[in-house]
Amino acid sequence: THPPGPPLRVYGVPGDSEVSVTWEEPTSSGSFAISNYQVLATPGGATCLVDAPSLTCTITELTNGIAYTFTVRALNGAGWGPYSDPSEPVTPQEPRDPTIMISGSRNPTDDKRVFADGVTTGLAGEVVRARVHLAGEVKYYNGSRRTVNAEGTFRWQRRTNKKVYLYFRHDEARSNLIIIGPRP
């Protein structure tokens, strides 16, 4: 009895601390149908296991900024076949394009105060700047800055009775625009 041959054309797509690995079936499945595939990351030896016929598997908890190669082997009733040729090197990265999403309203306990809560990706420790437009004014102006905390969030507030149009910027990243109504 024969185990399967090596899987072919292994390819990795980098994510944040992970790589999604795909491959093609071996030329020979050996004496039995293939039941599983195992992917091995080098360096580090992280693995993932999938049931055939799936030809993709994501290895997580990798280190961003390190180049990994991936090999795949197939299992049938006769045992594990040899590992494939390694993939091209793949380097997981934090998301390159930072994002900012905000939501906000009037403070229910202090109706002169408006606030916005921001959620970001890729901006922990960075400074974001409010861009504010109040009803009756001609254009947006720079509001106060906020430093994004380690969780990627921030809170902004100010006192005004007017309707507020608000978004945040960091370099080229812009948040969505929110509009907070005037004081009732």
Side-chain angles (χ1 to χ4, degrees):
T1 58
H2 300 287
L8 306 172
R9 289 179 271 290
V10 179
Y11 184 75
V13 177
D16 184 8
S17 303
E18 65 182 34
V19 171
S20 175
V21 182
T22 59
W23 58 92
E24 292 177 17
E25 294 174 347
T27 309
S28 164
S29 65
S31 305
F32 304 95
I34 293 172
S35 59
N36 299 90
Y37 292 98
Q38 182 183 42
V39 180
L40 172 67
T42 304
T47 63
C48 62
L49 184 70
V50 293
D51 295 334
S54 178
L55 299 173
T56 185
C57 190
T58 300
I59 295 189
T60 58
E61 296 181 27
L62 298 173
T63 303
N64 284 338
I66 295 206
Y68 293 87
T69 58
F70 299 90
T71 52
V72 184
R73 63 181 180 165
L75 177 69
N76 70 12
W80 286 104
Y83 277 103
S84 66
D85 289 337
S87 68
E88 292 289 315
V90 183
T91 305
Q93 303 281 357
E94 281 188 40
R96 271 190 201 76
D97 296 329
T99 62
I100 309 168
M101 279 296 296
I102 59 172
S103 59
S105 64
R106 289 204 167 269
N107 186 326
T109 59
D110 175 0
D111 63 10
K112 287 191 181 82
R113 197 173 285 278
V114 295
F115 70 90
D117 287 312
V119 178
T120 69
T121 60
L123 290 174
E126 298 285 333
V127 173
V128 294
R129 180 185 275 283
R131 296 283 295 159
V132 184
H133 174 89
L134 298 179
E137 294 177 342
V138 176
K139 60 186 189 204
Y140 283 88
Y141 63 89
N142 285 331
S144 56
R145 294 180 169 108
R146 288 292 176 269
T147 300
V148 178
N149 67 25
E151 287 76 51
T153 62
F154 63 91
R155 173 165 269 206
W156 172 93
Q157 58 187 6
R158 69 165 289 169
R159 297 176 81 91
T160 180
N161 293 331
K162 295 181 175 181
K163 185 176 191 176
V164 178
Y165 299 79
L166 175 69
Y167 70 93
F168 281 80
R169 288 193 78 123
H170 175 273
D171 295 337
E172 295 305 304
R174 289 172 69 127
S175 74
N176 55 308
L177 174 70
I178 61 172
I179 302 169
I180 300 170
R183 180 177 173 192

